Amino acid sequence: MSEPIEPSTSSSSTKDPAFLIHPRREPFEHGLLPIPKLIFTDPTQTLIPLKQKLIEQSPSHRVKAAAISESLQISIDHARLVLDTLASVLHLESDPLVQAKPDVIDEVGADVHDLVLFLYIQSYKKLLPRTHKDSAAVADVWPSTSAFDGYLSALSPLQLVRSNSRRFVPSQADEEAHQLSYLQKHLANLVSLLAEPVEGEGEESLVLTMERLEHLGFLIQFGDKGSEGGHLSQYAPFFANSDPDMPAVPVPAVQVHEWIINNIVSALENISERISPKENGPPSSSDQDVPMADACTSSTKGSTSVRGSSFIEGISKSSLVKQGSDLKGPSVKVLNCHDSVIYILAPLRYATVYGCSDATIVLGAVGKAVRIEHCERVHVITAANRICIANCRECMFFLGVNQRPLVVGDNHKLQVAPYNTFYSQLEEHLSEVGIDAAINRWGEPLPLGVDPDQFTNFLIPNWFGGEPGSTKDNPFPLPDAYVESQHRNQKNLGEVKQLLREAPLEDNRKRELSTALHVYFKDWLYASGNIRQLYCLQGE
């Protein structure tokens, strides 16, 4: 193997798209699950022992739903959802989990190293629009921001797009820079989850094999061809010239870390140079309406691809038809389209529909995942492996899906129905992307409800004084998990109260502590919207 090559810092090298590092956007856009028990305060401290435990239980290093359920203390349905979601965003098509049919995914299981990386990024926070910093200034806005992703769900999707807040929605470049910065901050921890100690030298001497490095390809890639960018080790100077007939010598983890960090820095600088000239440019054409038009095969609003994604943005009062030959990549994003009919009759890997209203959108065959978010009065017709619906209102979905539809966030008046259309190439496209038309789980939606640890009792004010009645408690029995959570919370509250009472503090220190607790409590009341309930309890 040749000596390690230092990454080039020359301008021509860093600007060449083929040698720029990018985040794999699929895990961040389609792979996050709002399940509280998957979000860890200190992911490394939790996931390293979890990985060792799973490896001891599964010598093959492949983890099934039962082990995920037991180790993470989540339901078996949620454990299967973890496997299904991970399968839809994995980077290597050769992985057995990706190739598995929907009904045998649990039998195949996930590679433990892919699983821990997937669990680590569940703590990733999406880039959000700028909002009011003063909670008191928005105290009368009700409902508050979405508990799922923090977006301005007090507004309908149509209001959001047409209000001044539209200008604060992050661009694609903003989101990529945000994801790169997240990876830059957490890279040392991510590498440590994959590294292993040199035998006899202890944990201080961690190394990464070429096979373990490939797992990082779940989160990062080189080149501008989206998910088709090739194996990560092909770009690593310390593995590039390895003999294919000989196992590559492991390299120090710190060397891998330094190489990736240098590439991330170069990529961030490149993004900064690209977006700076646009900051003071003219407003986007997507904010303007276009006249009513007949069905067409192209539109000025359908943008070129960006790393494997084609963007269809700002279609209004129009019809648009796109076939595979019209698209520049395997993924499509339909953004902020209104009063229109959009046909995308092509085989796709991923599709996203965001911020659309009063539209009908037909998505041909989507082999990985569809995400529909912040839409209002939209009809979506799609054949897909899986679909996630988030924060939508008065929408209807005609689905041919191999996995249970996932419904998350703040949704209102949604309807689902079986798939209801066809076009001449549909069966070819289904076969090409691996969708089984004999399996349609459209009628088995999986709503992610309130987790037991987030469940609290709602107290109705005594509006009618001491009016007599026999009801003294909630007459509906709670499931065991919710009862146990309430008992645990009550016990914790009692312990905290006792600790505060017995704290060996001087009077002035106790007053400072009391003031700090009141400040945090007030902030929580505003952020959660419970300030309204408090006003009612106080006799507003």
Side-chain angles (χ1 to χ4, degrees):
M1 186 174 69
S2 65
E3 290 298 318
I5 303 171
E6 290 296 326
S8 171
T9 58
S10 67
S11 176
S12 61
S13 174
T14 57
K15 299 297 177 61
D16 187 342
F19 293 97
L20 276 174
I21 202 168
H22 299 278
R24 276 194 75 244
R25 302 187 65 165
E26 293 86 355
F28 298 106
E29 294 179 357
H30 296 275
L32 301 181
L33 296 172
I35 301 176
K37 288 188 177 180
L38 302 187
I39 301 172
F40 310 111
T41 305
D42 188 338
T44 310
Q45 187 176 7
T46 304
L47 291 175
I48 286 180
L50 175 67
K51 183 187 77 169
Q52 297 304 326
K53 177 183 176 182
L54 291 174
I55 288 175
E56 291 170 3
Q57 294 177 348
S58 308
S60 67
H61 290 190
R62 301 205 72 87
V63 186
K64 299 183 180 180
I68 294 173
S69 173
E70 188 274 331
S71 59
L72 295 173
Q73 292 297 293
I74 59 177
S75 69
I76 193 68
D77 277 347
H78 285 181
R80 293 191 181 109
L81 176 62
V82 167
L83 284 178
D84 290 342
T85 306
L86 177 55
S88 72
V89 294
L90 270 176
H91 57 305
L92 293 178
E93 292 297 317
S94 59
D95 190 279
L97 185 64
V98 177
Q99 296 189 339
K101 298 293 184 182
D103 55 345
V104 296
I105 279 182
D106 186 23
E107 296 176 23
V108 173
D111 185 284
V112 67
H113 301 99
D114 294 328
L115 176 64
V116 294
L117 293 181
F118 174 82
L119 293 174
Y120 191 102
I121 67 165
Q122 296 305 310
S123 60
Y124 172 77
K125 301 291 191 302
K126 288 185 177 181
L127 183 60
L128 301 177
R130 292 192 294 270
T131 55
H132 293 284
K133 294 182 180 179
D134 182 4
S135 57
V138 293
D140 288 329
V141 177
W142 194 33
S144 184
T145 54
S146 164
F148 173 57
D149 63 3
Y151 265 95
L152 307 175
S153 60
L155 302 176
S156 74
L158 189 59
Q159 290 171 324
L160 175 64
V161 170
R162 292 181 175 174
S163 71
N164 288 333
S165 64
R166 172 71 173 84
R167 71 189 65 178
F168 298 120
V169 175
S171 68
Q172 297 293 315
D174 291 334
E175 290 183 345
E176 178 157 327
H178 188 257
Q179 291 163 8
L180 279 173
S181 297
Y182 170 86
L183 293 172
Q184 182 182 33
K185 178 181 178 181
H186 294 274
L187 185 62
N189 293 338
L190 294 168
V191 169
S192 70
L193 287 174
L194 301 177
E196 52 191 354
V198 176
E199 189 173 349
E201 296 188 23
E203 296 290 337
E204 295 77 14
S205 181
L206 294 175
V207 296
L208 230 66
T209 62
M210 187 166 71
E211 184 270 335
R212 293 285 179 87
L213 175 68
E214 293 293 2
H215 289 287
L216 277 179
F218 175 59
L219 298 174
I220 55 177
Q221 64 189 32
F222 281 87
D224 56 356
K225 296 184 180 180
S227 297
E228 301 173 358
H231 291 261
L232 192 61
S233 60
Q234 295 174 355
Y235 297 86
F238 28 79
F239 291 131
N241 298 318
S242 298
D243 186 341
D245 297 324
M246 295 286 291
V249 177
V251 298
V254 292
Q255 187 177 353
V256 176
H257 177 267
E258 182 180 0
W259 170 66
I260 297 177
I261 286 292
N262 288 341
N263 279 281
I264 289 177
V265 169
S266 295
L268 287 171
E269 290 174 351
N270 186 65
I271 292 174
S272 178
E273 292 172 7
R274 283 192 290 114
I275 65 177
S276 293
K278 300 179 182 179
E279 290 179 349
N280 297 318
S284 169
S285 62
S286 63
D287 293 331
Q288 306 166 13
D289 285 350
V290 296
M292 180 69 74
D294 294 329
C296 55
T297 57
S298 64
S299 169
T300 56
K301 301 296 182 70
S303 70
T304 57
S305 68
V306 178
R307 286 205 309 106
S309 291
S310 293
F311 292 81
I312 297 171
E313 184 170 11
I315 302 296
S316 181
K317 300 181 177 66
S318 183
S319 297
L320 176 69
V321 180
K322 291 284 187 181
Q323 295 180 294
S325 58
D326 301 316
L327 303 174
K328 304 299 183 182
S331 300
V332 163
K333 293 188 177 183
V334 181
L335 310 172
N336 305 316
C337 295
H338 313 286
D339 301 300
S340 299
V341 181
I342 297 171
Y343 305 86
I344 304 173
L345 308 181
L348 303 167
R349 289 172 61 84
Y350 298 92
T352 299
V353 179
Y354 181 93
C356 297
S357 66
D358 300 290
T360 296
I361 299 169
V362 183
L363 301 171
V366 187
K368 294 295 185 180
V370 176
R371 182 176 181 85
I372 315 294
E373 187 170 9
H374 288 291
C375 289
E376 182 174 300
R377 297 185 301 279
V378 168
H379 286 195
V380 176
I381 304 172
T382 185
N385 186 31
R386 69 190 308 267
I387 186 170
C388 177
I389 302 165
N391 304 315
C392 291
R393 302 186 183 194
E394 301 178 47
C395 294
M396 191 159 187
F397 303 90
F398 298 88
L399 304 177
V401 288
N402 287 172
Q403 296 179 16
R404 297 177 66 183
L406 180 62
V407 183
V408 297
D410 182 15
N411 298 280
H412 300 273
K413 298 182 180 178
L414 304 184
Q415 298 180 72
V416 293
Y419 192 76
N420 65 343
T421 192
F422 69 93
Y423 58 95
S424 60
Q425 294 178 298
L426 176 60
E427 288 174 302
E428 295 173 28
H429 292 169
L430 293 175
S431 176
E432 184 175 338
V433 300
I435 295 173
D436 186 351
I439 301 174
N440 192 0
R441 307 188 72 183
W442 68 272
E444 306 172 44
L446 176 61
L448 284 187
V450 175
D451 186 274
D453 290 338
Q454 293 183 315
F455 181 81
T456 57
N457 289 324
F458 184 88
L459 183 61
I460 297 177
N462 188 10
W463 296 111
F464 312 110
E467 185 171 304
S470 60
T471 302
K472 305 299 181 184
D473 206 346
N474 180 358
F476 294 90
L478 290 174
D480 291 344
Y482 288 80
V483 173
E484 292 171 6
S485 178
Q486 286 205 328
H487 289 165
R488 187 164 56 249
N489 290 339
Q490 291 169 358
K491 179 182 177 182
N492 291 341
L493 178 60
E495 291 175 352
V496 170
K497 285 182 176 179
Q498 184 174 354
L499 286 172
L500 291 175
R501 283 194 299 266
E502 298 175 355
L505 299 174
E506 298 176 358
D507 288 344
N508 62 329
R509 288 293 187 183
K510 286 186 176 181
R511 284 192 295 271
E512 290 176 4
L513 178 60
S514 177
T515 300
L517 290 173
H518 277 90
V519 168
Y520 283 116
F521 179 59
K522 186 177 179 182
D523 287 344
W524 174 80
L525 286 172
Y526 281 123
S528 64
N530 285 310
I531 189 68
R532 292 276 182 178
Q533 189 182 5
L534 184 60
Y535 287 157
C536 292
L537 291 171
Q538 292 176 342
E540 181 183 42

